[in-house]
Amino acid sequence: MRQIACQSIGRWRWKLTVLLFTCGLLIQYSFDERALGHAQRRIDFNRDIRPILSDKCFACHGPDAPNKKIRLRLDSEAAATADLGKGRRAIVPSDPDRSEMVRRIKASDELMRMPPTYSGHRLTQAEIDILTEWVKQGAPWQKHWSFAPLLRPQLPSVKNKAWPKNAIDYFVLERLEHEGLEPAPEADRATLIRRVSLDLTGLPPTPQEIDDFINDRSVDAYEHVVDRLLNSSRYGERMAFRWLDAARYADTNGYQIDGNREAWRWRDWVIESFNRNQPFDQFVIEQLAGDLLPNATLEQKIATAFNRNHRINAEGGIVPEEYRIEYVVDRVDTTSTVFMGLTMGCARCHNHKYDPITQKEYYRLSAYFNSIDEDGHSFDQGNSPPWIAAPTREQQRQLQDLDQEITQTENHIATLVKKSTERQRRWEQSLISSAGGRANQQWFPSDRLLVHLSLDENREPVFNRSDRPHHEQADNRSSESPQVIETGFKEGAPRYIAAPTGQGVAFDGKLFFDGGLRADFRYKSTSKDYRERFTIAAWIYPESEQSGSIVTKVSDSPAEVENNVPRAEGYGLYFLNGKIHFNMIFRWGEDALRVETADALPLRQWQHIAVAFDGTKAWDDRIRLYLNGRSQKLKFNQRSFFLLFSSKNTLKIGAGGGPEFRFKGALDEVRLYSRVLDEDEIAILACADSLEKIAREALLNRTRAQALKINRAFVAQAAPEELKRADQKLLDLKQKRLDFEETIPNLMVMEEMPEPRPAFLLKRGAYDAPGEKVERGVPAILPPIPSSFPNNRLGFAQWLVSPDHPLTARVTVNRFWQMLFGKGLVRTSEDFGSQGEWPSHPALLDWLAVEFMGGNAGENTPPSTRWDVKAVLKTMVMSAAYRQESKISALLQERDPDNRLLARGPRIRLSAEMIRDQALLISGLLVEKLGGPSVKPYQPDGLYKDMAFSILTGYERDQGEGLWRRSLYTFWKRTVLSPNMQVFDASAREFCTVRETRTNTPLQSLNLMNDITYIEASRMLAQRMLLEGGATPQARIRWAFRLATSRRPKDQEAAILQRNLNRQLDYFDHNPQAATRLLLIGEKRNDERLKVSELAAYATTASLILNLDEVITKQ
Amino acid sequence: MHPVTEHYLMMTRRHFFSRLSFGLGTAALATVLKETGDATPLFQSSADKPGLPELPHFPPKAKRVIYLYQAGGPSQLDLFDPKPQLERLRGQNLPESIRMGQRLTGMTAYQSSWPTAPSIYKFARHGQSGAWLSELLPSTARVVDHLSFIKSMHTEQINHDPAITFSLTGFQIAGRPSLGSWVAYGLGSENKDLPAFIVMVSVGRTGGDQPLYDRLWGSGFLASRYQGVKFHPGQDPVLYLSNPPGIERQVRRQFLDDLAELNGINAREFGDPEILSRVAQYEMAYRMQTSVPELTDLSKEPEKTFERYGPDARKPGTFAFNCILARRLAERGVRFIQLFHRGWDQHGDLPKNITKQCQDTDQPSAALIMDLKDRGLLEDTLVIWGGEFGRTVYSQGKLTADNYGRDHHPRCFTIWLAGGGIKPGISLGETDDFSYNIVRDPVHVHDLNATIMQSLGIDHKRLTYKFQGRDFRLTDVHGNVIEQILAT
């Protein structure tokens, strides 16, 4: 761990306008100043003047003035002092009497007075006075403080040299001394270790840890504790929780349907990143643009899910572009808020009213986030492209092993094939010589062959197995009453004719084959996120350009027709307009995948066609159409497919979409596989030659398909056992790999399109009102992107963390400060703009920011010290300011109720997740395990029932350890948040949240008293009291109290608890059934050896302890 | 209110508590908190005030609101807005002169035609006001003279999530406070034992696929204490309300006394007013443990009540049951009572489904009006009945003689209002022959929200909250009070 030096280098360059305000006015500048007393202060433009101008004037006379046709602007010095005509100027420095602004704000005539009444704003007398005084003093201007370059301020001098422990304390103490206040004494060790343990790990210390600290008399005892905590893996979990709020991470997609998504791999990346103390600049770059880094690793791609965590909309009927724009907007707003503290969203519809950001600049910024190949319409369930398979490290290892085994087996097969050349030759000879009995013998792949119609006169159709169970499991919509459907030819009898592989059947435009409720291939399901794979193949002999339906799963009743194609719901392979069409339709135009071959096919001849669908692939690779074994160029008619279609239609050969689409021509060898066949296999299907015929060909004359076919046939039929076994093994391994792939977590990531999508200014922010085209760029108020950076997301990310960026470091250290002290140095941690709050300690903020960045540009600091998160947190918690006790004196309650001056330590209610995690920890229930899929702990029954989408109303509560993991891993449903998180102000994560809020309501009390979570925790804590807490009730009470508060109870407290316990013992002794019922709450069972009534009594007292204000507070 | 003002109020309150804690023994503390009226309205506000001091802006006409939200978009064409002349055009494509290229949802945008689907229901005029209603609403027909209809409502959103979010928060994207939370923030509660904003949800006979979301009664950037408290059907109307099995009420009482005493010790040492605030919240929780079950227990309601509200009224979780609860909440001074009834999204099989929806809602809605009236509560209770948008005149999917569906239609829909501040017997606004466009007196969702605020004595332009540097309000920069329907 890096030690932070107290000495500061660099010069004092935080140029506050040093103007003493001596005329005796008691000025009330800003809220802080008001609350903090009335000491005389220097006028400082940024602190004292800009907030007034911004709040009361900028709405009209600010950056958006030109759009409102208002000439006067007060957001720049030049504009404010310019000649407005006839020599009138708003501000004439040093001359208030000639300044129009001063005259107008003082005007007694209501029609003249600014701001106008209709604006709803009024200047107070104090504000008028200070504006006047400021003009009198020359109206000195400053750049808005947060946009000013970051320079390391010098440490201020303080009188009390003994108090500061590090640089932070000089800044804090200077302010306190200025205000005439004393810092508070250091908190006692028990309080301190509890505070710092909760702050750095989210969990309280154990009694052993407390004792170790108390007994450690070395000078760096506290530092040891801090280092231990920062090195604990709990640290990453603690840090991740707040980051998930900022990054609006959740386990559901939000909006109307709010189906589940898979995103936890990114959450685990965040935990890991904090735990390995990844430099923050890298943390930023990888999350914003990891995919664009040279040779991006899997982990770097995973990081980019940061900007895919936003909500996505699956509501039927939406205009996808409207929501695609919302996603881009969300990325811009989140990125601006989290890294720059800018409320960019204001500039979406018009120029920003307060900050120097134009609408055009907004869209230039959005152009960085605009170029991924996404659709505004998402799936009901699961992720939406672009996505990647994001195996865990363990899965990556297993995959490697599998691949290695596959390669070995392939090599083994190659060797065996070579060894059996002679045997194959003999086998081929036998095919020729015994041709009489085995004429026209064929071989085709049969693995996962679902349906096979040979269409030969004497051969029955083959239905290998039903795929229904798979889908029924996936989709409870299809559990309608099963229909009994007779399979077979309908509307006529088959007429068999000669065909490529023997016989085929002539279809006369009436006849069709009904395959029953089979081959229920769909793409997605509403309730389960699976990705379909299948193949359909057939020989066709089209009579005309409109020969019709080949294989479909659509209704046979007439459908609407467009461009000669039926708009029927379901999937269908057709020969229409001379081309092969393959359509998967839920709702034509809105929700369907429709492709056709780019080229027309010849008529009245046999040709082999196949379609392979692979739902795991990117949009354009999802479908392949083959003609005679060769992949065809496709024309996409529609590729926006989200929902499943009805499963009630039967599989039809030669029909579907209405009588006019009955097939006219002939068909042969119809095959449906529940897997994707590769090109070699398709080539074999398209090779009609019998094995005998191929065998007669000289080796060198055989086509590729012929060679493949006869070789595969040999292995399957006549190879030595060893080769057969190896071949089977290879098949099994490949299947195993596919099955394994299905278990790999999927993750939505950023993936840049080859060509950037053009970006436009959107008038009024509306998706359908594009204005001028804009190029990528950053707001002019900020330093430009260096020309050495690429002008894309990567360059943008690098720019954010470049040494002369004024915001990223300031905003970030402010959030860390907020995490420890409850409020940021800038309390509006989401807004560093001119409407944001002036920092309570501006120089401290800058010092921390510079320290965090590892020095100013030009300062020669070692790279290892740059953007070191653990180091900056350590500096904060090592400070004397942090270590103060948090008692509030009457004086401070009066002077500084919000603790902005830091004359005492932080006293803050714990956040939702900490309250629950702490109860789990001290009751011994907590299952500590890093990462993994989200878990579903206790929540009230039926919570989703009257709220959620009709088929998403279930909540499958975890059994076992999922009930007791840290709340970081709790399944986060955006539209119906877990109530024990919600009541304690947790974010629903519908949007980015960086400010922490804390309320105090009776719902919290009810939750802590009556939630299964806490009753179970009380029971288990009671058990620990009895088993571990000592021999007497008094000892056990003291032990549990200390476990929960980290301190020993006062005698008075112990006495109250003892009294409480005695009453409970008495009560449950007389009410044994009550005791039994209480102990049955929750899944975890108590030790059977313990006496039920005693346990119940202890549980009630334990619950009392868990409900103490002190227990749910860091003090 | 400006955060500074809010802060000052909090300080004052805190001073009260700190004096209390230092001046009194902790044993007396709980008693004091119980007896001090001042300590009780903490539910909606730990700033410890019943509402903002500057509110109401002017004398209110309504003290509370009951919003009977019909989620999914009820068909104005089949309920409120008769277009008998459409029968002649049955099946004909909707004229382009009517549609005027307006956007449609993806569910019907790609239909090959948009066949005009006249309602199959008979309409008649009712009451002295002569309001038109379809035969689907016989009970509503009997109370029409108390109601005021707006037939020219319109919104901007064509899909449920954005439209319902827009209607209830003034913005289509999540993040803004809901109507009820603005009211709770502004006016606070009149009941010290119940939350200021209560929400109930019912799913009707047809089920219902349009989900609801916490955000519809969420508090957005306002403190979360202003969010609506959702009542759940069943054992615990408020989550975690009941003590666990085995913990009797007197055990809980002792528990709370001991807890208050222990917290008091810490409060004395640390001087943090939040601790005493927490003690008060536990007391409020304890009171809710009685007040809420008492509220939801209908066993003492006379038989007459159930006859009035209809056969569903005894069944918890139904709209009828919730309507009775709404009246009981109104009696207890709860400020904002919002019912949601799901299932109005009739894209297909509209006749079958709308009949069932009306069975769910018609009688209870009308009963609630009369019940409030009889108890003298209608005068100062504003009741609103309506959803997030209307439905299209053209059929979604196949049109047959007795079956059709309708897609979402934001360009016009009908709602009704009654009670506090509303002039009864009015019918405002008019749509064209297709109930597609508004031809007279358009009323935007923002206007409705402005009017609801107005009835409560709130100037919608002046109830603002500063967030991210901006003064936000429910109606954004829009909204005009609908003067025509306001009682003078």
Side-chain angles (χ1 to χ4, degrees), chain A residues 788-831:
Chain A
S788 56
F789 292 0
N791 194 23
N792 58 13
R793 264 190 294 121
L794 179 58
F796 173 82
Q798 290 168 331
W799 167 80
L800 272 182
V801 291
S802 61
D804 53 0
H805 200 292
L807 288 166
T808 311
R810 278 185 176 122
V811 169
T812 306
V813 293
N814 188 59
R815 238 184 357 251
F816 292 153
W817 190 274
Q818 169 183 269
M819 177 184 117
L820 302 173
F821 289 86
K823 296 194 172 71
L825 292 165
V826 176
R827 189 156 39 170
T828 53
S829 44
E830 74 288 352
D831 186 6

Side-chain angles (χ1 to χ4, degrees), chain B residues 263-291:
Chain B
N263 281 337
I265 294 171
N266 203 41
R268 252 180 307 179
E269 184 171 349
F270 277 80
D272 188 342
E274 279 296 311
I275 305 174
L276 296 168
S277 203
R278 186 162 306 287
V279 174
Q281 300 303 348
Y282 273 89
E283 289 304 318
M284 168 84 169
Y286 182 72
R287 288 197 305 277
M288 280 172 68
Q289 290 189 316
T290 345
S291 64

Side-chain angles (χ1 to χ4, degrees), chain B residues 121-296:
Chain B
Y121 297 103
K122 290 196 190 70
F123 277 76
R125 305 187 76 141
H126 297 278
Q128 293 191 342
S129 56
W132 285 99
L133 279 182
S134 94
E135 59 188 327
L136 288 165
L137 301 171
S139 300
T140 309
R142 285 192 279 276
V143 302
V144 279
D145 286 344
H146 297 293
L147 314 181
S148 182
F149 294 86
I150 303 177
K151 296 187 173 179
S152 50
M153 287 299 305
H154 64 108
T155 183
E156 282 144 40
Q157 305 300 327
I158 56 169
N159 292 96
H160 297 290
D161 180 306
I164 195 166
T165 307
F166 186 79
S167 147
L168 289 172
T169 72
F171 199 64
Q172 71 275 22
I173 301 292
R176 303 274 172 94
S178 58
L179 174 57
S181 67
W182 276 113
V183 173
Y185 166 69
L187 298 176
S189 180
E190 288 197 323
N191 181 317
K192 56 190 168 121
D193 301 336
L194 288 168
F197 177 16
I198 291 175
V199 172
M200 288 175 277
V201 171
S202 49
V203 185
R205 291 171 166 75
T206 61
D209 263 3
Q210 313 80 56
L212 299 169
Y213 335 99
D214 286 343
R215 85 176 90 96
L216 300 178
W217 47 90
S219 55
F221 44 71
L222 298 176
S224 58
R225 59 178 175 264
Y226 300 114
Q227 74 198 4
V229 173
K230 180 173 176 282
F231 275 16
H232 296 257
Q235 198 60 33
D236 263 354
V238 169
L239 292 177
Y240 313 116
L241 185 71
S242 303
N243 292 324
I247 300 290
E248 304 299 326
R249 188 144 174 91
Q250 87 272 13
V251 173
R252 185 56 84 205
R253 185 63 261 167
Q254 282 167 11
F255 179 100
L256 290 174
D257 289 343
D258 292 342
L259 184 65
E261 210 174 331
L262 288 164
N263 281 337
I265 294 171
N266 203 41
R268 252 180 307 179
E269 184 171 349
F270 277 80
D272 188 342
E274 279 296 311
I275 305 174
L276 296 168
S277 203
R278 186 162 306 287
V279 174
Q281 300 303 348
Y282 273 89
E283 289 304 318
M284 168 84 169
Y286 182 72
R287 288 197 305 277
M288 280 172 68
Q289 290 189 316
T290 345
S291 64
V292 174
E294 187 273 326
L295 166 85
T296 54

Side-chain angles (χ1 to χ4, degrees), chain B residues 211-470:
Chain B
L212 299 169
Y213 335 99
D214 286 343
R215 85 176 90 96
L216 300 178
W217 47 90
S219 55
F221 44 71
L222 298 176
S224 58
R225 59 178 175 264
Y226 300 114
Q227 74 198 4
V229 173
K230 180 173 176 282
F231 275 16
H232 296 257
Q235 198 60 33
D236 263 354
V238 169
L239 292 177
Y240 313 116
L241 185 71
S242 303
N243 292 324
I247 300 290
E248 304 299 326
R249 188 144 174 91
Q250 87 272 13
V251 173
R252 185 56 84 205
R253 185 63 261 167
Q254 282 167 11
F255 179 100
L256 290 174
D257 289 343
D258 292 342
L259 184 65
E261 210 174 331
L262 288 164
N263 281 337
I265 294 171
N266 203 41
R268 252 180 307 179
E269 184 171 349
F270 277 80
D272 188 342
E274 279 296 311
I275 305 174
L276 296 168
S277 203
R278 186 162 306 287
V279 174
Q281 300 303 348
Y282 273 89
E283 289 304 318
M284 168 84 169
Y286 182 72
R287 288 197 305 277
M288 280 172 68
Q289 290 189 316
T290 345
S291 64
V292 174
E294 187 273 326
L295 166 85
T296 54
D297 173 14
L298 303 190
S299 63
K300 296 207 180 69
E301 284 286 341
E303 193 52 37
K304 192 175 92 207
T305 304
F306 299 105
E307 283 165 18
R308 178 173 241 170
Y309 284 83
D312 292 344
R314 289 178 193 278
K315 226 165 91 193
T318 62
F319 184 74
F321 186 90
N322 288 351
C323 279
I324 301 182
L325 285 188
R327 185 259 291 160
R328 291 170 69 94
L329 287 167
E331 287 177 309
R332 285 158 179 77
V334 170
R335 186 71 70 181
F336 204 97
I337 303 148
Q338 185 149 23
L339 273 58
F340 286 87
H341 189 67
R342 296 169 61 185
W344 289 101
D345 193 27
Q346 287 136 7
H347 290 280
D349 290 334
L350 181 137
K352 188 176 92 194
N353 292 323
I354 202 167
T355 308
K356 290 183 183 167
Q357 284 296 109
C358 290
Q359 277 173 30
D360 292 337
T361 56
D362 176 48
Q363 185 177 350
S365 304
L368 177 61
I369 295 295
M370 289 320 291
D371 202 0
L372 291 172
K373 175 81 185 159
D374 290 353
R375 288 163 201 263
L377 283 164
L378 191 59
E379 290 168 24
D380 57 4
T381 305
L382 171 63
V383 184
I384 309 142
W385 193 105
E388 68 267 36
F389 42 50
R391 306 207 79 85
T392 56
V393 67
Y394 62 79
S395 178
Q396 172 169 355
K398 214 175 210 167
L399 170 71
T400 66
D402 55 2
N403 199 8
Y404 48 93
R406 299 191 190 277
D407 198 3
H408 311 159
H409 188 60
R411 303 197 55 82
C412 66
F413 60 105
T414 304
I415 64 163
W416 59 253
L417 301 94
I422 300 299
K423 200 188 289 176
I426 300 273
S427 181
L428 179 71
E430 207 177 292
T431 60
D432 64 15
D433 291 347
F434 290 81
S435 190
Y436 204 90
N437 300 295
I438 294 165
V439 295
R440 197 164 55 83
D441 295 331
V443 176
H444 190 271
V445 166
H446 283 311
D447 302 334
L448 173 66
N449 288 344
T451 310
I452 294 171
M453 292 293 215
Q454 177 88 7
S455 308
L456 289 163
I458 303 171
D459 178 351
H460 69 106
K461 291 183 177 157
R462 279 154 68 197
L463 180 59
T464 61
Y465 188 87
K466 184 167 272 187
F467 175 67
Q468 292 198 338
R470 211 188 116 186

Side-chain angles (χ1 to χ4, degrees), chain A residues 31 34-35 55 121 255-257 311 313 315-319 322-323 326 337 343 346 354 477 560 567 587-590 767 830-831 835 886-888 893-894 897-898 907 909 939-940 943 945-950 975-977 979-980 982 984-985 990-991 999-1011 1015 1047 1050 1052-1053 1056-1057 1059-1060 1063-1064 1067-1068 1074 1077-1078 1081 1100 1103-1104 1107-1110 1112 1115, chain B residues 2 4 7-8 11 14-15 18 22 26 42-43 46 103-107 110-112 157-162 172-175 201 203 208-215 217 223-225 227 229-233 238-248 250-252 254-256 258-259 261-263 265-266 268-275 277-278 281-282 284-285 288-289 342 396 408 466-471:
Chain A
F31 155 58
R34 265 183 279 201
D55 199 30
H121 292 301
Y255 285 110
Q256 192 203 23
I257 308 293
R311 306 184 302 153
N313 197 346
E315 181 170 348
I318 58 167
V319 179
E322 182 173 7
Y323 288 90
E326 290 302 334
T337 303
T343 56
C346 293
Y354 307 105
R477 267 191 181 175
E560 287 185 355
R567 296 168 47 141
R587 194 151 39 222
W588 184 275
E590 190 208 4
Y767 74 96
E830 74 288 352
D831 186 6
Q835 287 291 90
S886 62
K887 292 171 186 167
I888 311 176
Q893 178 61 31
E894 176 83 39
D898 271 0
R907 186 178 192 283
R909 197 207 74 212
Q939 77 173 26
L943 195 64
K945 202 171 155 222
D946 56 1
M947 296 270 289
F949 193 55
S950 57
T975 56
V976 191
L977 185 52
N980 58 20
Q982 185 184 35
F984 286 103
D985 306 301
E990 294 213 278
F991 44 85
T999 58
N1000 196 340
T1001 73
L1003 298 185
Q1004 295 170 354
S1005 316
L1006 290 172
N1007 179 250
L1008 285 180
M1009 290 192 291
N1010 299 333
D1011 183 350
I1015 297 166
R1047 69 175 172 93
K1050 301 183 182 72
Q1052 193 191 356
E1053 290 165 330
I1056 297 167
L1057 289 166
R1059 187 184 70 203
N1060 180 272
R1063 280 184 186 152
Q1064 307 308 330
Y1067 173 79
F1068 285 110
R1077 279 156 65 209
L1078 184 64
I1081 298 167
T1100 311
S1103 169
L1104 179 58
N1107 273 273
L1108 286 173
D1109 179 78
E1110 181 177 352
I1112 58 164
Q1115 69 182 19
Chain B
H2 194 276
V4 174
H7 177 80
Y8 274 123
M11 286 211 339
R14 282 178 172 176
H15 283 182
S18 25
F22 298 125
T26 49
L42 294 174
F43 193 93
S46 69
R103 72 169 179 172
L104 308 178
T105 83
M107 286 173 285
Y110 305 94
Q111 278 188 192
S112 50
Q157 305 300 327
I158 56 169
N159 292 96
H160 297 290
D161 180 306
Q172 71 275 22
I173 301 292
V201 171
V203 185
D209 263 3
Q210 313 80 56
L212 299 169
Y213 335 99
D214 286 343
R215 85 176 90 96
W217 47 90
S224 58
R225 59 178 175 264
Q227 74 198 4
V229 173
K230 180 173 176 282
F231 275 16
H232 296 257
V238 169
L239 292 177
Y240 313 116
L241 185 71
S242 303
N243 292 324
I247 300 290
E248 304 299 326
Q250 87 272 13
V251 173
R252 185 56 84 205
Q254 282 167 11
F255 179 100
L256 290 174
D258 292 342
L259 184 65
E261 210 174 331
L262 288 164
N263 281 337
I265 294 171
N266 203 41
R268 252 180 307 179
E269 184 171 349
F270 277 80
D272 188 342
E274 279 296 311
I275 305 174
S277 203
R278 186 162 306 287
Q281 300 303 348
Y282 273 89
M284 168 84 169
M288 280 172 68
Q289 290 189 316
R342 296 169 61 185
Q396 172 169 355
H408 311 159
K466 184 167 272 187
F467 175 67
Q468 292 198 338
R470 211 188 116 186
D471 283 324

Side-chain angles (χ1 to χ4, degrees), chain A residues 215-275:
Chain A
N215 298 329
D216 185 348
R217 287 292 132 205
S218 63
V219 285
D220 46 7
Y222 177 64
E223 188 172 5
H224 283 151
V225 170
V226 171
D227 287 342
R228 172 176 61 76
L229 295 170
L230 288 170
N231 285 323
S232 148
S233 61
R234 292 172 174 180
Y235 160 82
E237 295 179 309
R238 189 294 187 245
M239 295 297 288
F241 199 94
R242 284 288 153 266
W243 192 251
L244 301 194
D245 284 344
R248 73 291 194 225
Y249 166 92
D251 296 302
T252 62
N253 285 327
Y255 285 110
Q256 192 203 23
I257 308 293
D258 201 27
N260 300 355
R261 66 165 51 167
E262 204 167 28
W264 58 270
R265 245 327 240 128
W266 176 81
R267 180 244 284 140
D268 289 357
W269 179 89
V270 173
I271 299 169
E272 195 182 298
S273 168
F274 278 117
N275 272 338

